[in-house]
Amino acid sequence: MSSPSQAIIAINIPPEFGGRPLFEGYDPGTFYDESIAPDGKPRPEAAAMHEILAGMPLDVFEERRQLADLSYLVQGITFTVYSDGRGTERLFPFDLVPRIIPRHEWDVIEKGLAQRVMALNFYLQDIYGKQRILRDKIIPRQLVQSCKHFRREMMGLNVPRDIYVHIAGIDLVRDSRTGEYLVLEDNARSPSGISYVLENRLVMRRTFARAFEVSEVMPVDHYPNELGRILRSLSPRSGDRPVVVLLTPGLYNSAYFEHCFLAQEMGIELVEGRDLVVVDDVVYMKTIHGLTRVDVIYRRVDDDFLDPLAFRADSLVGVPGLMNAYRAGNIALANAVGTGVADDKAIYAFVPDFIRYYLGEEPILKNVDTYLCSRPDHLSYVLDHLGELVVKAVGESGGYGMLMGPSSDKKTIEDFRVRLKADPRNYIAQPVIPLSRCPSFDPATGTMSARHIDLRPYCLYDGEKVTIVPGGLTRVALQKGSLVVNSSQGGGSKDTWVLRGDGGQEA
Amino acid sequence: MNRYKLVHVTQFSYDGIVTESYNELRLRPRHDESQSCLSFRVTTNPAAKAVGHQDYFGNWVHQFHILPEHRKLRVETEAVVLMHPVAEKPVSAMTLTELDVMRDDLADEHFDWLVASAYCPFVPAILDLAADAERACDGTVHGFVQTASSLIHARFRYQQGATHVHSSVEDCLETQAGVCQDFSHLLLAIVRSRGIPARYVSGYLVPRQGNDERAAMERVIGGLASHAWVQVFIPETGWIGLDPTSGEYVDAQHIRIAYGRDYGDVPPVRGVYKGHAGQSLAVDVHVRPAVDDEGAELLLETSATPPLDPEEEQHAQQQQQQQ
Amino acid sequence: MLSRIADSLFWIGRYMERADNTARILDVNYHMLLEQPPDTYKLRWDPLIAITGERTRFYQRFEEANAQTAFDYLGYSADNPNSIAQCIILARENARTIRDRISRELWEDINGLYHKINKLRDEGEGLSRFCDAVKRGGHRFHGVCDATLARDEGWHFLQAGCALERAEMTARILDVHYHQLVEGPQILNEARSHAWVAVLKSVAAYEFYKRQHSHIEPTQVAQLLLLDPRHPRSVRFNLGVLQNSLYAISGSVPGSYANEGERLTGRAHESLTYDSIDEIFSGGLHDYLEEMQATCRTIGAHISQTYLYYAVS
């Protein structure tokens, strides 16, 4: 991907922006600010970058910002929003102020995530195998069996190398009250967004080269290589170079750009369901010179649509017979089928117990307190406190099916009350976490403002160890005061820097 | 004497050419303490090799695929089943109130058999029927399920075509008529909504010889000897079979194929294919006492038959288009 | 290479070529008829509809073929799967799915053409500007392909698509006009020669023809459009290009064939190489052209069956 030629680009800078300092009037407020310490001074890890930004005239910053936007547009890095039945292509807004994590904090996050991903895998292996955890009554059987994404077809099926979740995106937030990182939710099906992490870094390196010189930021671009290595290692066939493909639902999927990007980066074929055919329980792709055997599928198609013979018969993007090949042990799928029984939002509440049960360790990263509406006592509490809580549908992601109590009107709250009573198992509730904030540029005012953020690191599991590219996707709620960071709900993203050290004077 | 030979023929005719057809059969009778599947064979035309595995509910699934172009598909399964004498089970006198105390334990043990499903939602009319059954019964679990079964038999009319294969209980509640599949779904919904585990059973009904009312009705159903009924779990007794189509218990005439939460888990034939063609379906089932040494072998095999003649493609007058 | 990707490239070639050819015949006819008395309109627009194989659908919608209805139907109509706009939409859809497999320049070019014709429609531009934009788009398409695409298997599928479509279109154009001009209702000599000029212009062969012949002679026109190995729109030239691409894909050597598509291409190319125009006329030009078009369709079907949608067994 080349940078757009600067010569042909017209930069429009509103004249009133002039040379005003960017941080004029910046108010860190009462929330935890990732850049500015309570004493008003930059935090050690953010100091170097802050100095560069604080000394940058607005027009220079604005020029860089527009160049960055343009490079996303030219490369067609867009996602599709479905609102009126027709998809519209939009840019995922990118904020140039990086979120900076000092090494000592990252070490904790990394250990905590590794522990969690290991536990999720042990749990899945157990649920689709001996179900020890159910017999030991650590988690109610009913809760597991009632998961929308519990796949009965997976019972007793041996998955290659016993790995279920190869790729996990675990959403973290920092609680302003304690400064502690909490796990907000697990994404163990097919988490997307890694392409933004890699692209954001590319754009930042071009835009703020000097900051990288002084800040010692840990690299992220080894992700595709690492993912490629893990995928190849899953091949059920020994010997030959395994054939790995990325299965996409196609052009109209909101993450199609990411599918193209990852396939290209890993040097693997990007395939659609119709490119694959199962013959005698072996998967092949149709090439102009005949069938080529496929060993590993990195699939970005949901379970429901993966095999119309086994799951939804109306799926046009799946591969009929794929589950038979999977059962026969002739194909590896990443992630495995049925991992949704691990990232169900009601199951989430039990993940700390999984860590204790399977690893015999205390969870390093805590959960957000969670009320299970399937429990009558929790349900009645939730119904009494709807105005203060966040209510989420258990099987949904991307900010859909969610109630933000404090910012919702009466009618919305009453709608949710009806839905909750009708189907309590489908909902959980959590207290509203005062998310930490990070300086973000507000194009409307031409100044920096504090905006709420979260963090989605991407974890790769190869059966022995968990590898996490330092940082991940920092999502930012660009609306003032908003706590919702999902791209479908008006969120943007930031580059995330993990420093080799803790920043400041040392090194 | 109680050894039966079952021949089940399913024929699909497509309006046009189809390819890459993948299919699953749930037609092999279960093999357990009360019935033995002595032999089972799948034959298809065009020829294909059927491979079997057991699903989550322990049912046998045979899958096969036909990749080349074809316009027709014929699937024939043959099974020989030995029915064991049904031992009288001591019937538990547990009351519904006693059952309620066990609710959580039952849910843990029998989750799949207790929840509403796509075909068996707990709609208000179902809850009304459950209330009627509870009022009319003797207060025992056993009495309740029996009453519910008779109630369906009494209030709903057996009528082919009143519903279709994908109808949920709501269609049947509206028309007050249906077939064995609908009546089974009704009974499942009623007893599950009352907290009693129950499962859908697909199978065959051996037509009874004789001239009584039941034999007459079974001949109607028996024209299509495929049948469906329900098993209910009664604590201290175990699973008992109820046939809401006849309103009675099941017996050694009921040959079980598969268990599921509802019909959706156990369709006899399920498949997908490529092609823009519609399809029509014909099913023919024969059940008769097995003769000679039929069923002496316990095997699974496939016989080959010659492929259909490929038909000539239509000459294209217009400009070609991408497929 | 995945069959789907080869299929997309093959059809990008075909649809772009189809759009270009349709624009050419529309444009030439339009300009020619500007100088004709209005009562010849019906006579002269009808063959165009015939060329595109759309007669039945067209007359279900319109009572008569005139400049406006022909432009509506062949230019923008969404009901006509072969309208210029539809061809460009389909070419773009194919390009979009394989964006990671073609050059960025090619994607931007096809995408640009798509946006351009939408803009022309929104602005209510007439036939002439529209056809001009499409023809220029066609030229740019070939230039961008030539300058930015690797010469791999994908390239050869694209080439094969262009060549096959162009060969068939040239045969169609010649067939329909010949049928109308020679075997159809009598029209004035002057008008007839005018019409032959239009035919030559619609395949960009007028200047080339004039360099070799002083006056318009149907036999010579047919000779050029069918048999001339030098002109890039002649049937023979294009079957030669097609043959080379098919060889490159299968790896077979000249004089042999690896599949039915290659065999038929080779046979048709041989026939165009060694048949004389007099032989062709004495056997009946129309029959010859009919057979040539049918051969092209059969070749297309065989390429599809061999490489793109073959039956798995």
Side-chain angles (χ1 to χ4, degrees):
Chain A
M1 306 214 178
S2 57
S3 67
S5 155
Q6 302 210 357
I8 56 153
I9 293 164
I11 302 289
N12 301 306
I13 298 171
E16 71 274 14
F17 279 13
R20 234 171 42 206
L22 282 166
F23 278 89
E24 194 178 80
Y26 181 80
D27 177 18
T30 55
F31 295 93
Y32 185 101
D33 193 288
E34 299 280 349
S35 271
I36 310 290
D39 62 3
K41 296 206 179 79
R43 294 184 186 277
E45 63 270 20
M49 186 65 197
H50 185 78
E51 198 180 318
I52 292 171
L53 284 172
M56 182 174 282
L58 182 53
D59 46 2
V60 176
F61 180 84
E62 182 64 9
E63 183 180 336
R64 293 190 184 184
R65 193 177 75 86
Q66 294 190 15
L67 272 176
D69 273 3
L70 204 72
S71 97
Y72 286 91
L73 196 68
V74 169
Q75 291 177 61
I77 306 180
T78 53
F79 69 97
T80 315
V81 184
Y82 298 93
S83 44
D84 50 354
R86 272 183 60 172
T88 321
E89 280 187 41
R90 282 216 208 122
L91 276 185
F92 187 25
F94 174 60
D95 185 80
L96 277 183
V97 186
R99 184 256 191 87
I100 304 172
I101 302 173
R103 182 59 177 268
H104 72 270
E105 277 184 9
W106 178 252
D107 287 345
V108 176
I109 294 174
E110 197 177 28
K111 285 197 190 79
L113 292 174
Q115 186 190 47
R116 200 166 173 105
V117 171
M118 299 281 277
L120 290 174
N121 270 291
F122 283 128
Y123 159 75
L124 284 161
Q125 204 183 322
D126 189 22
I127 283 300
Y128 291 122
K130 300 197 167 98
Q131 302 197 330
R132 281 196 307 132
I133 198 165
L134 301 183
R135 282 207 303 277
D136 290 341
K137 305 214 182 284
I138 306 295
I139 180 169
R141 182 183 289 269
Q142 293 180 54
L143 197 70
V144 174
Q145 293 208 327
S146 59
C147 280
K148 194 163 102 186
H149 302 288
F150 172 55
R151 295 289 167 198
R152 284 157 179 82
E153 295 82 355
M154 287 298 289
M155 282 304 295
L157 191 153
N158 290 321
V159 303
R161 306 192 55 203
D162 288 337
I163 314 172
Y164 285 81
V165 180
H166 311 78
I167 305 119
I170 302 205
D171 292 349
L172 303 177
V173 294
R174 194 204 286 270
D175 186 338
S176 285
R177 295 166 302 194
T178 60
E180 217 181 356
Y181 285 98
L182 302 173
V183 177
L184 190 64
E185 62 183 62
D186 305 293
N187 293 279
R189 280 170 278 163
S190 33
S192 64
I194 187 66
S195 57
Y196 293 110
V197 174
L198 304 178
E199 277 301 316
N200 288 354
R201 177 58 55 83
L202 215 66
V203 169
M204 280 301 275
R205 267 212 304 264
R206 278 204 300 269
T207 318
F208 286 102
R210 202 167 73 78
F212 283 84
E213 282 171 28
V214 297
S215 293
E216 291 207 63
V217 181
M218 293 175 70
V220 295
D221 33 22
H222 51 291
Y223 180 91
N225 277 336
E226 184 62 15
L227 176 57
R229 182 185 71 78
I230 292 175
L231 292 173
R232 284 191 299 277
S233 78
L234 301 173
S235 173
R237 255 196 319 170
S238 56
D240 297 333
R241 257 176 72 94
V243 177
V244 182
V245 299
L246 192 159
L247 177 65
T248 173
L251 190 55
Y252 299 102
N253 185 267
S254 61
Y256 187 68
F257 165 75
E258 177 158 307
H259 306 161
C260 285
F261 175 89
L262 285 174
Q264 223 168 358
E265 289 286 319
M266 288 190 281
I268 62 176
E269 202 75 60
L270 178 67
V271 303
E272 296 181 16
R274 57 194 162 122
D275 294 324
L276 301 180
V277 62
V278 179
V279 185
D280 295 335
D281 293 348
V282 174
V283 182
Y284 297 91
M285 58 181 172
K286 297 173 182 170
T287 81
I288 54 171
H289 296 305
L291 300 183
T292 300
R293 183 165 176 166
V294 176
D295 303 299
V296 182
I297 300 177
Y298 174 33
R299 51 94 175 209
R300 298 291 299 259
V301 171
D302 293 344
D303 287 357
D304 269 342
F305 296 94
L306 203 51
D307 177 352
L309 183 62
F311 305 120
R312 281 181 58 162
D314 60 345
S315 169
L316 299 174
V317 297
V319 185
L322 186 60
M323 281 303 286
N324 291 333
Y326 197 34
R327 194 181 306 107
N330 292 330
I331 189 80
L333 299 176
N335 286 348
V337 173
T339 54
V341 77
D343 70 6
D344 182 282
K345 289 183 173 68
I347 300 293
Y348 154 91
F350 292 86
V351 178
D353 295 325
F354 300 167
I355 295 171
R356 295 185 193 101
Y357 182 76
Y358 293 112
L359 305 176
E361 296 170 10
E362 267 308 300
I364 296 167
L365 296 167
K366 286 186 193 154
N367 265 16
V368 174
D369 293 336
T370 301
Y371 302 97
L372 302 176
C373 300
S374 55
R375 288 181 50 171
D377 50 336
H378 285 197
L379 178 64
S380 73
Y381 177 86
V382 171
L383 290 172
D384 288 345
H385 297 84
L386 273 180
E388 304 151 30
L389 299 169
V390 187
V391 182
K392 298 172 177 174
V394 294
E396 305 285 332
S397 57
Y400 293 99
M402 185 169 141
L403 171 78
M404 258 301 200
S407 58
S408 298
D409 55 34
K410 258 209 137 65
K411 189 186 171 305
T412 318
I413 290 177
E414 291 314 307
D415 279 356
F416 257 82
R417 188 186 304 282
V418 174
R419 285 200 242 169
L420 266 149
K421 283 183 181 162
D423 189 5
R425 168 63 181 87
N426 197 34
Y427 295 94
I428 56 127
Q430 293 168 337
V432 176
I433 303 296
L435 306 186
S436 64
R437 303 201 297 188
C438 187
S440 307
F441 183 72
D442 184 348
T445 61
T447 56
M448 294 293 170
S449 307
R451 293 287 183 261
H452 294 290
I453 56 170
D454 78 347
L455 175 65
R456 174 183 288 184
Y458 294 86
C459 314
L460 297 173
Y461 179 56
D462 66 3
E464 278 153 34
K465 62 173 200 315
V466 178
T467 309
I468 305 163
V469 290
L473 185 65
T474 292
R475 294 184 296 179
V476 49
L478 290 170
Q479 302 297 314
K480 190 175 178 184
S482 168
L483 288 165
V484 185
V485 297
N486 299 96
S487 54
S488 53
Q489 320 283 324
S493 76
K494 284 169 170 292
D495 193 12
T496 310
W497 295 1
V498 174
L499 304 186
R500 273 185 212 289
D502 287 338
Q505 303 311 315
E506 33 118 36
Chain B
M1 177 77 184
N2 44 5
R3 203 154 47 104
Y4 298 102
K5 169 139 183 174
L6 310 152
V7 180
H8 191 133
V9 179
T10 311
Q11 292 199 80
F12 295 97
S13 300
Y14 307 103
D15 306 343
I17 290 173
V18 307
T19 60
E20 295 182 31
S21 162
Y22 292 81
N23 303 277
E24 273 184 4
L25 308 175
R26 279 179 178 80
L27 286 170
R28 175 171 170 164
R30 292 185 72 104
H31 184 79
D32 52 31
E33 67 284 353
S34 55
Q35 70 181 37
S36 302
C37 179
L38 300 178
S39 79
F40 181 71
R41 183 158 64 174
V42 181
T43 313
T44 70
N45 186 359
K49 191 177 95 192
V51 181
H53 72 270
Q54 277 177 293
D55 71 10
Y56 179 73
F57 303 108
N59 306 313
W60 276 99
V61 184
H62 287 80
Q63 51 106 351
F64 65 91
H65 55 259
I66 294 161
L67 300 173
E69 293 181 347
H70 54 286
R71 283 170 177 276
K72 285 193 178 93
L73 170 61
R74 184 178 190 277
V75 181
E76 179 177 314
T77 61
E78 286 174 274
V80 178
V81 178
L82 176 68
M83 299 302 288
H84 306 202
V86 184
E88 283 290 320
K89 278 183 186 168
V91 173
S92 150
M94 174 179 280
T95 64
L96 288 166
T97 330
E98 286 165 344
L99 179 93
D100 289 338
V101 182
M102 305 175 63
R103 198 168 265 260
D104 262 2
D105 289 341
L106 282 173
D108 225 41
E109 187 72 13
H110 296 291
F111 177 83
D112 286 328
W113 312 127
L114 275 167
V115 288
S117 68
Y119 288 86
C120 311
F122 298 165
V123 292
I126 288 292
L127 302 181
D128 292 346
L129 283 168
D132 289 354
E134 188 158 358
R135 267 193 300 276
C137 78
D138 61 2
T140 65
V141 179
H142 186 255
F144 174 82
V145 298
Q146 201 179 18
T147 310
S149 181
S150 331
L151 203 104
I152 293 167
H153 179 61
R155 293 198 192 167
F156 293 82
R157 208 167 62 253
Y158 186 94
Q159 189 189 332
Q160 299 263 2
T163 53
H164 55 87
V165 71
H166 298 302
S167 288
S168 84
V169 293
E170 284 166 289
D171 294 327
C172 182
L173 284 165
E174 197 182 311
T175 57
Q176 297 283 304
V179 295
C180 55
Q181 177 181 325
D182 305 299
F183 301 154
S184 299
H185 286 150
L186 281 174
L187 183 57
L188 286 171
I190 293 169
V191 301
R192 284 182 190 164
S193 73
R194 188 56 193 82
I196 305 164
R199 61 195 180 194
Y200 184 94
V201 185
S202 71
Y204 299 109
L205 184 63
V206 181
R208 196 183 295 256
Q209 309 299 318
N211 281 318
D212 59 1
E213 187 198 344
R214 179 168 167 196
M217 189 196 64
E218 280 171 0
R219 271 196 295 276
V220 175
I221 309 163
L224 216 155
S226 278
H227 193 48
W229 59 96
V230 169
Q231 284 189 347
V232 173
F233 182 81
I234 299 180
E236 297 166 7
T237 301
W239 291 100
I240 59 162
L242 287 158
D243 187 342
T245 308
S246 65
E248 293 183 27
Y249 289 102
V250 305
D251 53 23
Q253 310 286 108
H254 289 74
I255 303 172
R256 286 163 295 119
I257 298 175
Y259 300 147
R261 286 164 294 185
D262 55 31
Y263 172 80
D265 282 335
V266 295
V269 184
R270 176 186 156 129
V272 293
Y273 56 82
K274 277 192 186 161
H276 298 289
Q279 63 174 40
S280 57
L281 170 70
V283 181
D284 197 13
V285 179
H286 293 285
V287 180
R288 62 161 171 78
V291 293
D292 302 334
D293 57 354
E294 279 177 344
E297 76 282 28
L298 195 111
L299 49 75
L300 170 75
E301 64 179 52
T302 314
S303 74
T305 33
L308 298 169
D309 288 335
E311 295 202 15
E312 263 186 57
E313 278 194 42
Q314 297 248 318
H315 180 66
Q317 283 295 327
Q318 294 175 339
Q319 282 172 297
Q320 279 172 327
Q321 292 290 341
Q322 192 172 11
Q323 290 181 31
Chain C
M1 166 170 281
L2 283 179
S3 294
R4 176 175 51 85
I5 291 168
D7 185 53
S8 282
L9 286 161
F10 182 70
W11 282 96
I12 288 172
R14 290 198 75 163
Y15 283 129
M16 287 300 288
E17 196 59 41
R18 192 171 293 177
D20 177 69
N21 273 286
T22 309
R24 287 182 165 280
I25 53 177
L26 255 181
D27 191 45
V28 167
N29 214 52
Y30 177 73
H31 282 103
M32 179 188 80
L33 292 178
L34 287 179
E35 296 158 9
Q36 301 282 310
D39 55 349
T40 56
Y41 269 22
K42 187 175 157 67
L43 180 66
R44 301 308 317 137
W45 281 104
D46 176 74
L48 257 68
I49 310 296
I51 287 172
T52 57
E54 284 294 324
R55 246 182 160 141
T56 318
R57 267 193 292 238
F58 181 87
Y59 286 108
Q60 280 164 6
R61 282 193 46 172
F62 300 105
E63 282 190 3
E64 64 158 32
N66 57 41
Q68 192 54 48
T69 56
F71 180 41
D72 275 1
Y73 193 71
L74 300 181
Y76 285 119
S77 174
D79 300 342
N80 173 7
N82 298 311
S83 73
I84 294 168
Q86 281 304 310
C87 287
I88 292 170
I89 287 170
L90 291 169
R92 176 176 179 266
E93 285 291 274
N94 277 294
R96 219 150 90 90
T97 17
I98 56 164
R99 260 179 83 168
D100 58 323
R101 291 306 201 101
I102 55 178
S103 63
R104 193 167 98 191
E105 287 84 352
L106 180 55
W107 158 248
E108 285 177 0
D109 187 63
I110 296 175
N111 192 34
L113 179 61
Y114 166 78
H115 288 299
K116 172 90 181 171
I117 60 157
N118 281 344
K119 189 161 160 279
L120 289 175
R121 173 175 43 197
D122 294 345
E123 290 168 357
E125 274 296 342
L127 185 151
S128 186
R129 287 276 305 277
F130 174 79
C131 289
D132 208 47
V134 176
K135 285 195 300 182
R136 278 172 198 279
H139 295 152
R140 227 179 25 240
F141 167 74
H142 288 291
V144 171
C145 287
D146 187 70
T148 66
L149 293 187
R151 276 16 179 205
D152 56 7
E153 286 169 330
W155 162 264
H156 289 292
F157 275 100
L158 186 88
Q159 287 300 297
C162 288
L164 182 63
E165 185 71 24
R166 197 183 273 183
E168 194 190 335
M169 277 305 253
T170 299
R172 272 173 188 267
I173 290 170
L174 185 59
D175 186 25
V176 171
H177 281 283
Y178 184 83
H179 194 65
Q180 292 287 324
L181 292 173
V182 179
E183 292 158 12
Q186 286 303 303
I187 52 171
L188 295 173
N189 265 344
E190 188 196 351
R192 192 182 299 170
S193 114
H194 213 81
W196 280 116
V197 170
V199 172
L200 284 166
K201 282 186 174 170
S202 65
V203 294
Y206 180 64
E207 294 79 8
F208 184 60
Y209 182 90
K210 287 301 278 182
R211 279 208 299 281
Q212 300 168 75
H213 309 284
S214 54
H215 59 272
I216 303 292
E217 182 59 56
T219 332
Q220 300 300 343
V221 175
Q223 148 88 33
L224 194 163
L225 296 194
L226 260 177
L227 306 180
D228 198 299
R230 298 164 298 174
H231 194 273
R233 303 192 96 90
S234 81
V235 178
R236 175 173 164 194
F237 182 95
N238 282 293
L239 286 180
V241 172
L242 175 64
Q243 190 173 32
N244 286 336
S245 281
L246 293 179
Y247 282 153
I249 292 164
S250 73
S252 37
V253 292
S256 70
Y257 56 88
N259 54 57
E260 190 62 7
E262 276 178 30
R263 188 182 73 80
L264 293 174
T265 307
R267 193 179 69 180
H269 187 248
E270 288 291 287
S271 148
L272 291 161
T273 307
Y274 295 109
D275 291 346
S276 76
I277 198 68
D278 294 334
E279 278 174 338
I280 292 171
F281 269 76
S282 65
L285 179 67
H286 176 64
D287 288 347
Y288 192 86
L289 290 169
E290 277 264 280
E291 201 189 315
M292 194 55 73
Q293 291 171 65
T295 303
C296 285
R297 283 195 294 271
T298 313
I299 292 169
H302 280 297
I303 291 174
S304 198
Q305 274 167 32
T306 307
Y307 295 113
L308 312 177
Y309 292 93
Y310 50 84
V312 180
S313 50

